[in-house]
Amino acid sequence: MNILVAAPNLPHPWMDYTIRALHRLGHATIPFQYTNRWINRLNSAGLAATYAQRWRRDRDDALIALARRVRPDLALVLRGELISPGAITALKRAVRGPTVTWWVDDPGRYPGSPERLRLYDYCFLFDR
């Protein structure tokens, strides 16, 4: 199975561990990793509104373009709360099978998270 694994560049190797585990299970992976740390710094300086919106749109467009190009059997989005609802919907159309998200934190911490959770076919959480 070809699995698209999308994740932000986190300070811990969650994406790397996930990809290694999928390889051990016999799956091929297509990584999509992005960084949003500079957006957080701009947010703290009060400068990010326009740039962050454009950056998120470009990130989402790149993810969807990759999915359309490789047509994976499954998409696994680590920290799926970061992807816009429109991008999740477009991702679902580009993937042959289910879209799955794995969230680190309680979804109640993020505005709009119940709507986002419903867009994925499956959702896994660390918290109850």
Side-chain angles (χ1 to χ4, degrees):
M1 180 182 295
N2 289 321
I3 301 174
L4 173 62
V5 180
N9 184 8
L10 300 168
H12 48 77
W14 184 20
M15 183 178 188
D16 297 335
Y17 291 158
T18 301
I19 287 173
R20 267 191 257 155
L22 291 169
H23 286 172
R24 278 190 295 242
L25 292 169
H27 302 292
T29 58
I30 304 103
F32 179 82
Q33 190 170 42
Y34 56 91
T35 182
N36 63 346
R37 290 185 184 149
W38 67 273
I39 290 293
N40 294 335
R41 278 182 279 201
L42 287 175
N43 275 335
S44 64
L47 303 171
T50 303
Y51 297 110
Q53 189 174 33
R54 185 176 328 147
W55 178 83
R56 287 184 188 104
R57 186 182 60 241
D58 290 348
R59 175 209 53 207
D60 291 351
D61 289 348
L63 173 60
I64 295 161
L66 176 61
R68 286 179 180 152
R69 191 170 62 252
V70 300
R71 299 284 296 157
D73 300 304
L74 182 141
L76 172 59
V77 182
L78 307 179
R79 299 248 0 235
E81 72 275 11
L82 300 175
I83 305 300
S84 73
I88 298 166
T89 301
L91 181 64
K92 285 183 73 154
R93 287 193 298 266
V95 174
R96 294 179 199 203
T99 56
V100 178
T101 186
W102 187 3
W103 289 28
V104 178
D105 299 312
D106 174 5
R109 293 180 54 193
Y110 303 99
S113 59
E115 294 79 22
R116 281 194 175 109
L117 284 174
R118 286 187 202 101
L119 294 173
Y120 290 100
D121 296 307
Y122 298 96
C123 179
F124 299 94
L125 306 170
F126 284 166
D127 292 322
R128 290 184 202 189

